[in-house]
């Protein structure tokens, strides 16, 4: 079964607004990653946050990790139409090597 | 970032035929590659972990005789869907881990398989 659960399943916003996606997981992890997938394409790695980190930034992306709540959030600021895609969180379990993907959030940014 | 090439991007075949999908790491050596299956509007489902020079590790419920995986070199893994049937129609994606890059996976562009 999938490790991560994400909400919302779908999100529709106007260009310029911020988009926040959340991810919850079940077991102890080494790290958590966020990926982006454009329709019908492979996934692109966005950002990795380690279990001992609480927040990480990359450009317009901000990721937080709360290991006590087993949750993470991805914030995209000042969204653009080109940000329209599906976003997946993925966890690497402590002691394991597999990466397990969440169900994903489909983001639609209206121009 | 590291580049993974997947070929073909789209294949249509008749029921009963076999289809081979290739996954290549272009600028790094990948001892481990992963094969996923994705249904429309759903997440990735791990099918198997491909290890160079050894047998693949299949996830529960994935038929190893149906989905043959070969990882003969550090830059190439292949997935062969044998005797394909319409229910095998799906989007198949491979990924590879670059050594020393943590657990970041680099993905191919995916292969859309349509079995008639």
């Amino acid at each position: 079964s999938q490790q991560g659960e994400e909400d919302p399943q779908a999100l529709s916003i106007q260009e310029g607004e911020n988009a926040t996606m959340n991810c919850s997981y079940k077991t102890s992890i080494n790290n958590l990653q966020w990926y982006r997938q454009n329709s019908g394409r492979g996934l692109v790695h966005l950002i990795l946050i380690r279990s001992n980190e609480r927040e990480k930034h990359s450009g317009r992306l901000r990721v937080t990790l709360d290991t006590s709540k087993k949750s993470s959030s991805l914030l995209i600021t000042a969204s653009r139409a080109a940000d329209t895609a599906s976003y997946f969180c993925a966890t690497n379990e402590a002691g394991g090597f597999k990466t397990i993907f969440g169900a994903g959030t489909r983001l639609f940014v209206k121009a | 970032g590291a580049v993974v090439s997947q070929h073909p991007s789209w294949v249509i075949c008749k029921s009963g035929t076999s289809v081979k999908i290739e996954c290549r790491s272009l600028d790094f050596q990948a001892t481990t590659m992963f094969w996923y299956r994705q249904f429309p509007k759903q997440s990735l489902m791990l099918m198997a972990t491909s290890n160079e020079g050894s047998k693949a590790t299949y996830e529960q419920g994935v038929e190893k005789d149906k989905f043959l995986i070969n990882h003969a070199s550090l830059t190439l893994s292949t997935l062969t869907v044998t005797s394909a049937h319409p229910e095998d129609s799906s989007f198949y994606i491979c990924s590879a881990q670059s050594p020393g890059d943590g657990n970041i996976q680099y993905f191919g562009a995916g292969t859309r398989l349509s079995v008639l």
Side-chain angles (χ1 to χ4, degrees):
Chain A
S1 62
Q2 295 294 332
Q3 160 88 300
E5 296 181 3
E6 295 175 64
D7 77 273
Q9 292 185 341
L11 180 61
S12 181
I13 59 175
Q14 290 291 141
E15 203 167 32
E17 294 180 341
N18 295 340
T20 300
M21 290 159 267
N22 303 296
C23 168
S24 61
Y25 57 93
K26 297 175 184 175
T27 64
S28 296
I29 60 171
N30 288 325
N31 60 63
L32 185 144
Q33 303 166 49
W34 285 90
Y35 289 84
R36 165 195 168 125
Q37 182 183 33
N38 287 81
S39 181
R41 304 289 294 173
L43 278 70
V44 175
H45 178 262
L46 295 176
I47 198 165
L48 179 151
I49 186 166
R50 302 187 191 284
S51 60
N52 60 352
E53 297 177 310
R54 292 295 167 260
E55 188 171 311
K56 207 161 183 180
H57 298 255
S58 177
R60 292 185 295 114
L61 306 180
R62 173 176 170 258
V63 168
T64 62
L65 178 65
D66 187 334
T67 53
S68 66
K69 295 181 180 179
K70 291 185 168 60
S71 67
S72 173
S73 67
L74 170 66
L75 168 68
I76 303 175
T77 60
S79 64
R80 305 166 182 166
D83 294 329
T84 295
S86 292
Y87 293 82
F88 295 91
C89 70
T91 53
N92 177 254
E93 292 183 10
F97 65 93
K98 288 191 294 188
T99 300
I100 306 298
F101 287 82
T105 294
R106 290 163 57 210
L107 173 66
F108 181 65
V109 181
K110 293 177 282 188
Chain B
V3 179
V4 174
S5 172
Q6 186 172 342
H7 176 81
S9 57
W10 194 300
V11 58
I12 300 173
C13 68
K14 293 182 179 179
S15 186
T17 60
S18 294
V19 174
K20 180 186 282 189
I21 303 170
E22 293 186 349
C23 182
R24 294 180 185 272
S25 56
L26 297 186
D27 51 2
F28 66 99
Q29 293 183 330
T31 54
T32 303
M33 291 184 174
F34 301 91
W35 288 95
Y36 296 86
R37 183 172 181 174
Q38 186 179 34
F39 292 102
K41 299 181 181 179
Q42 293 189 26
S43 187
L44 281 73
M45 182 186 75
L46 180 64
M47 298 175 65
T49 301
S50 173
N51 303 297
E52 187 269 336
S54 65
K55 293 182 178 180
T57 303
Y58 290 82
E59 293 300 300
Q60 192 172 10
V62 178
E63 300 176 58
K64 59 181 67 176
D65 293 331
K66 174 75 170 175
F67 299 99
L68 299 179
I69 291 172
N70 184 278
H71 194 154
S73 77
L74 286 170
T75 60
L76 173 65
S77 176
T78 61
L79 168 68
T80 301
V81 183
T82 62
S83 187
H85 288 94
E87 58 266 30
D88 297 324
S89 298
S90 191
F91 192 57
Y92 294 87
I93 311 176
C94 72
S95 71
Q97 287 184 345
S98 176
D101 216 354
N103 297 104
I104 295 174
Q105 293 191 34
Y106 297 94
F107 284 84
T111 297
R112 184 160 304 283
L113 172 63
S114 296
V115 184
L116 304 177

